[in-house]
Amino acid sequence: MNGSSFDGLGTNGVFRMETIVNEKNIFDFLSDAEKPSGAAVEAVLEKGLLKKGLSLEEVALLVNTTDKKLLQKMFAAASRIKNDIYGERLVLFAPLYVSDHCINDCEYCNFHERNRGLERRKLTQEELAAETKCLIDMGHKRVLVEFGEDPERISTNYICEAIRTIYSVKSGGGNIRRINVNIAAATTEVYKRLKAEHIGTYQLFQETYHRRTYENVHKGGPKADYERQITAHCRAFEAGIDDLGIGVLFGLYDWRFEVMALLAHSQWMEKNLGVGPHTISVPRFCPAPSVKYEPEHVVSDGDFLKLIAILRIAVPYTGMILSTRETPDIRAKAFKLGISQASAASVTTPGGYSKIPLLCKEGRGEKMSRVSQFETHDQRPLNEVVEAALSDGLIPSFCTACYRKNRTGGAFMGIAKEGGIHTFCSPNALLTFAEYMEDYADADLKKKGRALVKLYLNRIPDTRLKEETKKRMAQITAGSRDLFF
Ligand code: SAM
Ligand code: SF4
């Protein structure tokens, strides 16, 4: 694939890869900021608290900060920004693996093309409906569909049919109301088809922005094309998808470079597409069954939390996603520092939720089997994740209102920057959590949940909105579902 199909989206009407992430600039910024003074770092943190974002030069100072006291200040600033913008809510979702057929050769992934021993699956629509039912019965309302890349076996028609199937399943009072999509880089035409199926966010990770490393870990298949990967969001945008997710697989290259590159990519999108990424995902490499790859740039827990805090300060209005690759302990810490969305009770195998009866019954995530994409480190069932969130003062949100009300892309960002997340998102989080409690929670969880809901309900500053939320809450108790602002 060449870059000509999206000429016009780059600066001066000409698309050039360098305009997205310029490696040399990043290395220069990092070395110029090698030993930042305390005063310089504090000034950047002060600026960060204004919630207007940071420049690459400023982020380079944070990335190079090692002083313990300054790090504490950095974490405090990130927490404050997280609370100011996102408040108490934590959006929950589950990945839904539809097929592991893949012609790519990603060194880090169990689905890589050389894994000939893997009996690959492409779920039938019936199997997919059964998987969806499992997730609905746990209480999920949002899924992230995952596919390997194999155009012959996994056609665009199949992907679209899968999305329709998932949206069509109803179980109890529940259904999946937002499908986010994580498929390989595609053409504008494919993205137009996805848009027509009413997808939420299109997510695609660059894996690593460092070109040489990228080429080393992607030696075969269409994903080996760095440029195809880094320009995919432009084509999706061209196709009308304006909620776009970016990410890095941490461990492949130096996290300092990757954080700077994520910021450069975000800034490029904001400048050239008019809207930055809707989300940034921060997956860390995990062991995987057939994978011999050993990351050269292992990210310690301390650095991982630091990079989350830096991103929170640098791009305050961009949602941040954390998966079950992380342990419950790290997740709880990361939720405080800036994560706004998290997966829960995940399996990374097509057919995994319904194949293993216990998973479906108890909704317990799976650590790893021979057919998993990688090992997860949080296998708690959804109700345990919910309970832990409540204990930390967080309201689990299953909200899907924004894209159903056309609050996507620039419209969403505009609302967020004016403080609208508190106006819409907090009441919607409370309403969707109330629905979860009615349909899926046991007596203990309900007691705990109701106390927290009451607390946050009374904190809604706008009296009319508070009263309307209370009214809708009563309607949910009386049996109404899917109420949102
Ligand atoms: N196949 C598509 C792709 O590669 O873009 C989409 C889905 S893939 C199932 C989702 C993501 O899983 C990849 O982008 C990669 O970052 C991540 N992944 C793969 N192997 C992993 C591993 N061993 N540990 C952690 N994450 C991994
Ligand atoms: Fe295929 Fe995605 Fe795994 Fe790469 S990461 S082998 S593209 S499924």
PDB file of all heavy atoms in Angstrom, residues 97 102 106 108-111 146-149 182-184 204-205 207 223 229 249 283-288 291 325 373-374, ligand 1:
ATOM      1  N   TYR A  97     -12.506 -11.977  20.981  1.00  0.00           N
ATOM      2  CA  TYR A  97     -11.670 -12.510  19.906  1.00  0.00           C
ATOM      3  C   TYR A  97     -12.546 -13.288  18.921  1.00  0.00           C
ATOM      4  O   TYR A  97     -13.195 -14.252  19.314  1.00  0.00           O
ATOM      5  CB  TYR A  97     -10.563 -13.407  20.477  1.00  0.00           C
ATOM      6  CG  TYR A  97      -9.418 -12.610  21.046  1.00  0.00           C
ATOM      7  CD1 TYR A  97      -9.565 -11.874  22.219  1.00  0.00           C
ATOM      8  CD2 TYR A  97      -8.185 -12.562  20.386  1.00  0.00           C
ATOM      9  CE1 TYR A  97      -8.521 -11.114  22.724  1.00  0.00           C
ATOM     10  CE2 TYR A  97      -7.131 -11.814  20.889  1.00  0.00           C
ATOM     11  CZ  TYR A  97      -7.306 -11.089  22.056  1.00  0.00           C
ATOM     12  OH  TYR A  97      -6.270 -10.337  22.555  1.00  0.00           O
ATOM     13  N   CYS A 102      -4.063 -15.573  10.979  1.00  0.00           N
ATOM     14  CA  CYS A 102      -3.220 -14.407  10.761  1.00  0.00           C
ATOM     15  C   CYS A 102      -2.062 -14.740   9.833  1.00  0.00           C
ATOM     16  O   CYS A 102      -1.411 -15.774   9.986  1.00  0.00           O
ATOM     17  CB  CYS A 102      -2.683 -13.866  12.087  1.00  0.00           C
ATOM     18  SG  CYS A 102      -2.083 -12.187  11.877  1.00  0.00           S
ATOM     19  N   CYS A 106       4.286 -11.318  13.641  1.00  0.00           N
ATOM     20  CA  CYS A 106       4.697 -10.484  14.774  1.00  0.00           C
ATOM     21  C   CYS A 106       5.408 -11.372  15.790  1.00  0.00           C
ATOM     22  O   CYS A 106       4.825 -12.338  16.297  1.00  0.00           O
ATOM     23  CB  CYS A 106       3.476  -9.814  15.404  1.00  0.00           C
ATOM     24  SG  CYS A 106       2.434  -8.974  14.201  1.00  0.00           S
ATOM     25  N   TYR A 108       6.043 -11.170  18.797  1.00  0.00           N
ATOM     26  CA  TYR A 108       5.571 -11.187  20.179  1.00  0.00           C
ATOM     27  C   TYR A 108       4.240 -11.895  20.365  1.00  0.00           C
ATOM     28  O   TYR A 108       3.785 -12.064  21.487  1.00  0.00           O
ATOM     29  CB  TYR A 108       5.437  -9.728  20.675  1.00  0.00           C
ATOM     30  CG  TYR A 108       4.805  -8.816  19.625  1.00  0.00           C
ATOM     31  CD1 TYR A 108       3.432  -8.766  19.455  1.00  0.00           C
ATOM     32  CD2 TYR A 108       5.595  -8.043  18.774  1.00  0.00           C
ATOM     33  CE1 TYR A 108       2.857  -7.967  18.479  1.00  0.00           C
ATOM     34  CE2 TYR A 108       5.036  -7.242  17.792  1.00  0.00           C
ATOM     35  CZ  TYR A 108       3.664  -7.208  17.650  1.00  0.00           C
ATOM     36  OH  TYR A 108       3.104  -6.429  16.670  1.00  0.00           O
ATOM     37  N   CYS A 109       3.597 -12.324  19.271  1.00  0.00           N
ATOM     38  CA  CYS A 109       2.199 -12.768  19.370  1.00  0.00           C
ATOM     39  C   CYS A 109       2.045 -14.252  19.052  1.00  0.00           C
ATOM     40  O   CYS A 109       2.614 -14.734  18.077  1.00  0.00           O
ATOM     41  CB  CYS A 109       1.353 -11.930  18.407  1.00  0.00           C
ATOM     42  SG  CYS A 109      -0.358 -12.467  18.289  1.00  0.00           S
ATOM     43  N   ASN A 110       1.251 -14.952  19.836  1.00  0.00           N
ATOM     44  CA  ASN A 110       1.045 -16.384  19.612  1.00  0.00           C
ATOM     45  C   ASN A 110       0.325 -16.682  18.295  1.00  0.00           C
ATOM     46  O   ASN A 110       0.374 -17.804  17.799  1.00  0.00           O
ATOM     47  CB  ASN A 110       0.236 -16.978  20.778  1.00  0.00           C
ATOM     48  CG  ASN A 110       0.128 -18.485  20.690  1.00  0.00           C
ATOM     49  OD1 ASN A 110       1.085 -19.168  20.324  1.00  0.00           O
ATOM     50  ND2 ASN A 110      -1.039 -19.028  21.001  1.00  0.00           N
ATOM     51  N   PHE A 111      -0.349 -15.693  17.735  1.00  0.00           N
ATOM     52  CA  PHE A 111      -1.083 -15.923  16.486  1.00  0.00           C
ATOM     53  C   PHE A 111      -0.183 -15.735  15.257  1.00  0.00           C
ATOM     54  O   PHE A 111      -0.659 -15.733  14.130  1.00  0.00           O
ATOM     55  CB  PHE A 111      -2.286 -14.974  16.382  1.00  0.00           C
ATOM     56  CG  PHE A 111      -3.298 -15.115  17.497  1.00  0.00           C
ATOM     57  CD1 PHE A 111      -4.200 -14.088  17.772  1.00  0.00           C
ATOM     58  CD2 PHE A 111      -3.363 -16.264  18.270  1.00  0.00           C
ATOM     59  CE1 PHE A 111      -5.133 -14.206  18.801  1.00  0.00           C
ATOM     60  CE2 PHE A 111      -4.294 -16.391  19.299  1.00  0.00           C
ATOM     61  CZ  PHE A 111      -5.173 -15.354  19.564  1.00  0.00           C
ATOM     62  N   GLU A 146     -11.613  -8.370  18.227  1.00  0.00           N
ATOM     63  CA  GLU A 146     -10.205  -8.594  17.857  1.00  0.00           C
ATOM     64  C   GLU A 146     -10.149  -9.651  16.760  1.00  0.00           C
ATOM     65  O   GLU A 146     -10.773 -10.713  16.879  1.00  0.00           O
ATOM     66  CB  GLU A 146      -9.417  -9.139  19.060  1.00  0.00           C
ATOM     67  CG  GLU A 146      -9.547  -8.350  20.336  1.00  0.00           C
ATOM     68  CD  GLU A 146      -8.478  -7.272  20.492  1.00  0.00           C
ATOM     69  OE1 GLU A 146      -7.678  -7.087  19.557  1.00  0.00           O
ATOM     70  OE2 GLU A 146      -8.466  -6.631  21.540  1.00  0.00           O
ATOM     71  N   PHE A 147      -9.387  -9.365  15.737  1.00  0.00           N
ATOM     72  CA  PHE A 147      -9.174 -10.304  14.637  1.00  0.00           C
ATOM     73  C   PHE A 147      -7.686 -10.344  14.314  1.00  0.00           C
ATOM     74  O   PHE A 147      -7.003  -9.323  14.437  1.00  0.00           O
ATOM     75  CB  PHE A 147      -9.857  -9.821  13.352  1.00  0.00           C
ATOM     76  CG  PHE A 147     -11.356  -9.714  13.400  1.00  0.00           C
ATOM     77  CD1 PHE A 147     -11.977  -8.637  13.997  1.00  0.00           C
ATOM     78  CD2 PHE A 147     -12.149 -10.686  12.810  1.00  0.00           C
ATOM     79  CE1 PHE A 147     -13.361  -8.527  14.014  1.00  0.00           C
ATOM     80  CE2 PHE A 147     -13.533 -10.590  12.818  1.00  0.00           C
ATOM     81  CZ  PHE A 147     -14.135  -9.504  13.426  1.00  0.00           C
ATOM     82  N   GLY A 148      -7.205 -11.495  13.833  1.00  0.00           N
ATOM     83  CA  GLY A 148      -5.911 -11.508  13.173  1.00  0.00           C
ATOM     84  C   GLY A 148      -6.125 -10.974  11.763  1.00  0.00           C
ATOM     85  O   GLY A 148      -7.250 -10.637  11.376  1.00  0.00           O
ATOM     86  N   GLU A 149      -5.050 -10.904  10.983  1.00  0.00           N
ATOM     87  CA  GLU A 149      -5.192 -10.397   9.612  1.00  0.00           C
ATOM     88  C   GLU A 149      -5.014 -11.544   8.621  1.00  0.00           C
ATOM     89  O   GLU A 149      -3.951 -12.183   8.604  1.00  0.00           O
ATOM     90  CB  GLU A 149      -4.148  -9.305   9.343  1.00  0.00           C
ATOM     91  CG  GLU A 149      -4.214  -8.788   7.905  1.00  0.00           C
ATOM     92  CD  GLU A 149      -3.332  -7.575   7.648  1.00  0.00           C
ATOM     93  OE1 GLU A 149      -2.453  -7.284   8.494  1.00  0.00           O
ATOM     94  OE2 GLU A 149      -3.511  -6.933   6.598  1.00  0.00           O
ATOM     95  N   ASN A 182     -10.603  -3.644  16.786  1.00  0.00           N
ATOM     96  CA  ASN A 182      -9.142  -3.705  16.712  1.00  0.00           C
ATOM     97  C   ASN A 182      -8.768  -4.673  15.591  1.00  0.00           C
ATOM     98  O   ASN A 182      -8.629  -5.862  15.830  1.00  0.00           O
ATOM     99  CB  ASN A 182      -8.602  -4.178  18.066  1.00  0.00           C
ATOM    100  CG  ASN A 182      -7.100  -4.065  18.231  1.00  0.00           C
ATOM    101  OD1 ASN A 182      -6.542  -4.577  19.189  1.00  0.00           O
ATOM    102  ND2 ASN A 182      -6.424  -3.408  17.309  1.00  0.00           N
ATOM    103  N   ILE A 183      -8.743  -4.152  14.371  1.00  0.00           N
ATOM    104  CA  ILE A 183      -8.291  -4.992  13.250  1.00  0.00           C
ATOM    105  C   ILE A 183      -7.094  -4.325  12.587  1.00  0.00           C
ATOM    106  O   ILE A 183      -6.858  -3.135  12.759  1.00  0.00           O
ATOM    107  CB  ILE A 183      -9.378  -5.236  12.165  1.00  0.00           C
ATOM    108  CG1 ILE A 183      -9.862  -3.912  11.575  1.00  0.00           C
ATOM    109  CG2 ILE A 183     -10.515  -6.068  12.702  1.00  0.00           C
ATOM    110  CD1 ILE A 183     -10.550  -4.071  10.235  1.00  0.00           C
ATOM    111  N   ALA A 184      -6.415  -5.140  11.798  1.00  0.00           N
ATOM    112  CA  ALA A 184      -5.197  -4.664  11.129  1.00  0.00           C
ATOM    113  C   ALA A 184      -5.481  -3.430  10.279  1.00  0.00           C
ATOM    114  O   ALA A 184      -6.628  -3.178   9.880  1.00  0.00           O
ATOM    115  CB  ALA A 184      -4.665  -5.779  10.241  1.00  0.00           C
ATOM    116  N   LEU A 204      -5.917   0.904  16.689  1.00  0.00           N
ATOM    117  CA  LEU A 204      -4.785   0.204  16.063  1.00  0.00           C
ATOM    118  C   LEU A 204      -3.510   0.699  16.740  1.00  0.00           C
ATOM    119  O   LEU A 204      -3.283   1.902  16.852  1.00  0.00           O
ATOM    120  CB  LEU A 204      -4.721   0.490  14.562  1.00  0.00           C
ATOM    121  CG  LEU A 204      -3.587  -0.258  13.851  1.00  0.00           C
ATOM    122  CD1 LEU A 204      -3.884  -1.749  13.737  1.00  0.00           C
ATOM    123  CD2 LEU A 204      -3.340   0.316  12.454  1.00  0.00           C
ATOM    124  N   PHE A 205      -2.693  -0.245  17.176  1.00  0.00           N
ATOM    125  CA  PHE A 205      -1.459   0.137  17.856  1.00  0.00           C
ATOM    126  C   PHE A 205      -0.309   0.148  16.859  1.00  0.00           C
ATOM    127  O   PHE A 205      -0.197  -0.764  16.028  1.00  0.00           O
ATOM    128  CB  PHE A 205      -1.120  -0.857  18.983  1.00  0.00           C
ATOM    129  CG  PHE A 205      -2.271  -1.114  19.931  1.00  0.00           C
ATOM    130  CD1 PHE A 205      -2.373  -2.318  20.609  1.00  0.00           C
ATOM    131  CD2 PHE A 205      -3.243  -0.150  20.140  1.00  0.00           C
ATOM    132  CE1 PHE A 205      -3.434  -2.558  21.485  1.00  0.00           C
ATOM    133  CE2 PHE A 205      -4.305  -0.374  21.015  1.00  0.00           C
ATOM    134  CZ  PHE A 205      -4.400  -1.590  21.684  1.00  0.00           C
ATOM    135  N   GLU A 207       2.525  -0.476  17.807  1.00  0.00           N
ATOM    136  CA  GLU A 207       3.387  -1.477  18.472  1.00  0.00           C
ATOM    137  C   GLU A 207       4.705  -0.826  18.897  1.00  0.00           C
ATOM    138  O   GLU A 207       5.010  -0.776  20.063  1.00  0.00           O
ATOM    139  CB  GLU A 207       3.639  -2.722  17.606  1.00  0.00           C
ATOM    140  CG  GLU A 207       2.417  -3.294  16.879  1.00  0.00           C
ATOM    141  CD  GLU A 207       1.303  -3.826  17.786  1.00  0.00           C
ATOM    142  OE1 GLU A 207       1.383  -3.655  18.990  1.00  0.00           O
ATOM    143  OE2 GLU A 207       0.331  -4.393  17.257  1.00  0.00           O
ATOM    144  N   LYS A 223       1.710  -6.528   7.703  1.00  0.00           N
ATOM    145  CA  LYS A 223       1.969  -5.627   8.844  1.00  0.00           C
ATOM    146  C   LYS A 223       3.433  -5.191   8.892  1.00  0.00           C
ATOM    147  O   LYS A 223       3.780  -4.251   9.626  1.00  0.00           O
ATOM    148  CB  LYS A 223       1.558  -6.318  10.154  1.00  0.00           C
ATOM    149  CG  LYS A 223       1.520  -5.390  11.363  1.00  0.00           C
ATOM    150  CD  LYS A 223       0.841  -6.053  12.550  1.00  0.00           C
ATOM    151  CE  LYS A 223       1.070  -5.321  13.846  1.00  0.00           C
ATOM    152  NZ  LYS A 223       0.405  -6.005  14.974  1.00  0.00           N
ATOM    153  N   GLN A 229       0.990   0.943   8.668  1.00  0.00           N
ATOM    154  CA  GLN A 229       0.485   0.945  10.044  1.00  0.00           C
ATOM    155  C   GLN A 229       0.275   2.379  10.555  1.00  0.00           C
ATOM    156  O   GLN A 229      -0.773   2.708  11.078  1.00  0.00           O
ATOM    157  CB  GLN A 229       1.506   0.208  10.935  1.00  0.00           C
ATOM    158  CG  GLN A 229       1.013  -0.138  12.315  1.00  0.00           C
ATOM    159  CD  GLN A 229       0.210  -1.441  12.361  1.00  0.00           C
ATOM    160  OE1 GLN A 229      -0.074  -2.046  11.324  1.00  0.00           O
ATOM    161  NE2 GLN A 229      -0.161  -1.854  13.537  1.00  0.00           N
ATOM    162  N   LEU A 249       3.015  -1.213  22.071  1.00  0.00           N
ATOM    163  CA  LEU A 249       3.232  -2.425  22.873  1.00  0.00           C
ATOM    164  C   LEU A 249       4.523  -2.196  23.657  1.00  0.00           C
ATOM    165  O   LEU A 249       5.627  -2.283  23.088  1.00  0.00           O
ATOM    166  CB  LEU A 249       3.324  -3.659  21.970  1.00  0.00           C
ATOM    167  CG  LEU A 249       3.521  -4.997  22.688  1.00  0.00           C
ATOM    168  CD1 LEU A 249       2.443  -5.256  23.735  1.00  0.00           C
ATOM    169  CD2 LEU A 249       3.522  -6.143  21.675  1.00  0.00           C
ATOM    170  N   PRO A 283      -0.642  -1.297  26.336  1.00  0.00           N
ATOM    171  CA  PRO A 283      -0.345  -2.702  26.621  1.00  0.00           C
ATOM    172  C   PRO A 283       1.144  -2.910  26.878  1.00  0.00           C
ATOM    173  O   PRO A 283       1.974  -2.254  26.248  1.00  0.00           O
ATOM    174  CB  PRO A 283      -0.768  -3.407  25.315  1.00  0.00           C
ATOM    175  CG  PRO A 283      -0.631  -2.365  24.252  1.00  0.00           C
ATOM    176  CD  PRO A 283      -1.001  -1.064  24.917  1.00  0.00           C
ATOM    177  N   ARG A 284       1.447  -3.797  27.836  1.00  0.00           N
ATOM    178  CA  ARG A 284       2.850  -4.203  28.064  1.00  0.00           C
ATOM    179  C   ARG A 284       2.992  -5.625  27.576  1.00  0.00           C
ATOM    180  O   ARG A 284       2.080  -6.444  27.754  1.00  0.00           O
ATOM    181  CB  ARG A 284       3.162  -4.187  29.567  1.00  0.00           C
ATOM    182  CG  ARG A 284       3.930  -2.987  30.007  1.00  0.00           C
ATOM    183  CD  ARG A 284       4.609  -3.153  31.340  1.00  0.00           C
ATOM    184  NE  ARG A 284       3.786  -3.426  32.498  1.00  0.00           N
ATOM    185  CZ  ARG A 284       4.241  -3.483  33.738  1.00  0.00           C
ATOM    186  NH1 ARG A 284       5.535  -3.291  33.969  1.00  0.00           N
ATOM    187  NH2 ARG A 284       3.447  -3.745  34.754  1.00  0.00           N
ATOM    188  N   PHE A 285       4.136  -5.924  27.007  1.00  0.00           N
ATOM    189  CA  PHE A 285       4.373  -7.283  26.508  1.00  0.00           C
ATOM    190  C   PHE A 285       4.137  -8.314  27.622  1.00  0.00           C
ATOM    191  O   PHE A 285       4.572  -8.127  28.757  1.00  0.00           O
ATOM    192  CB  PHE A 285       5.810  -7.423  25.981  1.00  0.00           C
ATOM    193  CG  PHE A 285       6.166  -8.842  25.646  1.00  0.00           C
ATOM    194  CD1 PHE A 285       5.803  -9.401  24.422  1.00  0.00           C
ATOM    195  CD2 PHE A 285       6.836  -9.651  26.570  1.00  0.00           C
ATOM    196  CE1 PHE A 285       6.101 -10.725  24.131  1.00  0.00           C
ATOM    197  CE2 PHE A 285       7.133 -10.975  26.279  1.00  0.00           C
ATOM    198  CZ  PHE A 285       6.767 -11.512  25.057  1.00  0.00           C
ATOM    199  N   CYS A 286       3.448  -9.421  27.272  1.00  0.00           N
ATOM    200  CA  CYS A 286       3.248 -10.540  28.203  1.00  0.00           C
ATOM    201  C   CYS A 286       3.753 -11.817  27.528  1.00  0.00           C
ATOM    202  O   CYS A 286       3.689 -11.931  26.297  1.00  0.00           O
ATOM    203  CB  CYS A 286       1.763 -10.743  28.484  1.00  0.00           C
ATOM    204  SG  CYS A 286       1.027  -9.394  29.361  1.00  0.00           S
ATOM    205  N   PRO A 287       4.178 -12.791  28.296  1.00  0.00           N
ATOM    206  CA  PRO A 287       4.583 -14.053  27.684  1.00  0.00           C
ATOM    207  C   PRO A 287       3.425 -14.660  26.882  1.00  0.00           C
ATOM    208  O   PRO A 287       2.262 -14.438  27.211  1.00  0.00           O
ATOM    209  CB  PRO A 287       4.904 -14.938  28.889  1.00  0.00           C
ATOM    210  CG  PRO A 287       5.104 -13.995  30.017  1.00  0.00           C
ATOM    211  CD  PRO A 287       4.286 -12.790  29.743  1.00  0.00           C
ATOM    212  N   ALA A 288       3.769 -15.400  25.863  1.00  0.00           N
ATOM    213  CA  ALA A 288       2.728 -16.030  25.027  1.00  0.00           C
ATOM    214  C   ALA A 288       3.230 -17.412  24.627  1.00  0.00           C
ATOM    215  O   ALA A 288       4.444 -17.620  24.495  1.00  0.00           O
ATOM    216  CB  ALA A 288       2.459 -15.170  23.810  1.00  0.00           C
ATOM    217  N   VAL A 291       5.770 -18.084  21.748  1.00  0.00           N
ATOM    218  CA  VAL A 291       6.614 -16.915  21.509  1.00  0.00           C
ATOM    219  C   VAL A 291       7.943 -17.031  22.252  1.00  0.00           C
ATOM    220  O   VAL A 291       7.967 -17.158  23.475  1.00  0.00           O
ATOM    221  CB  VAL A 291       5.841 -15.636  21.944  1.00  0.00           C
ATOM    222  CG1 VAL A 291       6.740 -14.419  21.955  1.00  0.00           C
ATOM    223  CG2 VAL A 291       4.645 -15.416  21.038  1.00  0.00           C
ATOM    224  N   ARG A 325      -3.699  -7.445  30.929  1.00  0.00           N
ATOM    225  CA  ARG A 325      -2.276  -7.838  30.893  1.00  0.00           C
ATOM    226  C   ARG A 325      -1.624  -7.479  32.224  1.00  0.00           C
ATOM    227  O   ARG A 325      -0.578  -8.011  32.571  1.00  0.00           O
ATOM    228  CB  ARG A 325      -1.547  -7.094  29.766  1.00  0.00           C
ATOM    229  CG  ARG A 325      -1.951  -7.500  28.345  1.00  0.00           C
ATOM    230  CD  ARG A 325      -1.306  -6.550  27.355  1.00  0.00           C
ATOM    231  NE  ARG A 325      -1.630  -6.805  25.975  1.00  0.00           N
ATOM    232  CZ  ARG A 325      -2.699  -6.302  25.351  1.00  0.00           C
ATOM    233  NH1 ARG A 325      -3.563  -5.550  26.007  1.00  0.00           N
ATOM    234  NH2 ARG A 325      -2.904  -6.570  24.070  1.00  0.00           N
ATOM    235  N   GLN A 373      -3.786 -15.661  22.964  1.00  0.00           N
ATOM    236  CA  GLN A 373      -2.858 -14.773  22.260  1.00  0.00           C
ATOM    237  C   GLN A 373      -1.647 -14.464  23.151  1.00  0.00           C
ATOM    238  O   GLN A 373      -0.521 -14.405  22.695  1.00  0.00           O
ATOM    239  CB  GLN A 373      -3.550 -13.468  21.853  1.00  0.00           C
ATOM    240  CG  GLN A 373      -2.670 -12.635  20.927  1.00  0.00           C
ATOM    241  CD  GLN A 373      -3.176 -11.223  20.720  1.00  0.00           C
ATOM    242  OE1 GLN A 373      -4.006 -10.728  21.463  1.00  0.00           O
ATOM    243  NE2 GLN A 373      -2.654 -10.580  19.689  1.00  0.00           N
ATOM    244  N   PHE A 374      -1.917 -14.253  24.438  1.00  0.00           N
ATOM    245  CA  PHE A 374      -0.849 -14.001  25.409  1.00  0.00           C
ATOM    246  C   PHE A 374      -1.414 -14.242  26.790  1.00  0.00           C
ATOM    247  O   PHE A 374      -2.621 -14.431  26.968  1.00  0.00           O
ATOM    248  CB  PHE A 374      -0.300 -12.568  25.278  1.00  0.00           C
ATOM    249  CG  PHE A 374      -1.374 -11.521  25.309  1.00  0.00           C
ATOM    250  CD1 PHE A 374      -1.940 -11.117  26.499  1.00  0.00           C
ATOM    251  CD2 PHE A 374      -1.844 -10.965  24.126  1.00  0.00           C
ATOM    252  CE1 PHE A 374      -2.953 -10.172  26.527  1.00  0.00           C
ATOM    253  CE2 PHE A 374      -2.865 -10.010  24.144  1.00  0.00           C
ATOM    254  CZ  PHE A 374      -3.414  -9.622  25.348  1.00  0.00           C
TER     255      PHE A 374
HETATM  256  N1  SAM B   1      -4.303  -8.324  14.770  1.00  0.00           N
HETATM  257  C1  SAM B   1      -4.539  -6.936  14.936  1.00  0.00           C
HETATM  258  C2  SAM B   1      -3.282  -6.172  15.114  1.00  0.00           C
HETATM  259  O1  SAM B   1      -2.257  -6.771  15.342  1.00  0.00           O
HETATM  260  O2  SAM B   1      -3.341  -4.946  15.025  1.00  0.00           O
HETATM  261  C3  SAM B   1      -5.457  -6.594  16.074  1.00  0.00           C
HETATM  262  C4  SAM B   1      -5.587  -7.348  17.263  1.00  0.00           C
HETATM  263  S1  SAM B   1      -4.208  -7.976  18.185  1.00  0.00           S
HETATM  264  C5  SAM B   1      -5.214  -9.278  18.644  1.00  0.00           C
HETATM  265  C6  SAM B   1      -4.160  -6.797  19.513  1.00  0.00           C
HETATM  266  C7  SAM B   1      -2.868  -6.390  20.088  1.00  0.00           C
HETATM  267  O3  SAM B   1      -2.375  -7.407  20.929  1.00  0.00           O
HETATM  268  C8  SAM B   1      -1.715  -6.102  19.181  1.00  0.00           C
HETATM  269  O4  SAM B   1      -1.815  -4.854  18.586  1.00  0.00           O
HETATM  270  C9  SAM B   1      -0.520  -6.217  20.123  1.00  0.00           C
HETATM  271  O5  SAM B   1      -0.114  -4.967  20.613  1.00  0.00           O
HETATM  272  C10 SAM B   1      -1.064  -7.032  21.286  1.00  0.00           C
HETATM  273  N2  SAM B   1      -0.241  -8.212  21.586  1.00  0.00           N
HETATM  274  C11 SAM B   1       0.141  -9.173  20.757  1.00  0.00           C
HETATM  275  N3  SAM B   1       0.949 -10.052  21.389  1.00  0.00           N
HETATM  276  C12 SAM B   1       1.083  -9.628  22.664  1.00  0.00           C
HETATM  277  C13 SAM B   1       1.805 -10.082  23.809  1.00  0.00           C
HETATM  278  N4  SAM B   1       2.566 -11.154  23.775  1.00  0.00           N
HETATM  279  N5  SAM B   1       1.699  -9.384  24.960  1.00  0.00           N
HETATM  280  C14 SAM B   1       0.926  -8.305  25.028  1.00  0.00           C
HETATM  281  N6  SAM B   1       0.224  -7.814  23.986  1.00  0.00           N
HETATM  282  C15 SAM B   1       0.300  -8.450  22.806  1.00  0.00           C
END
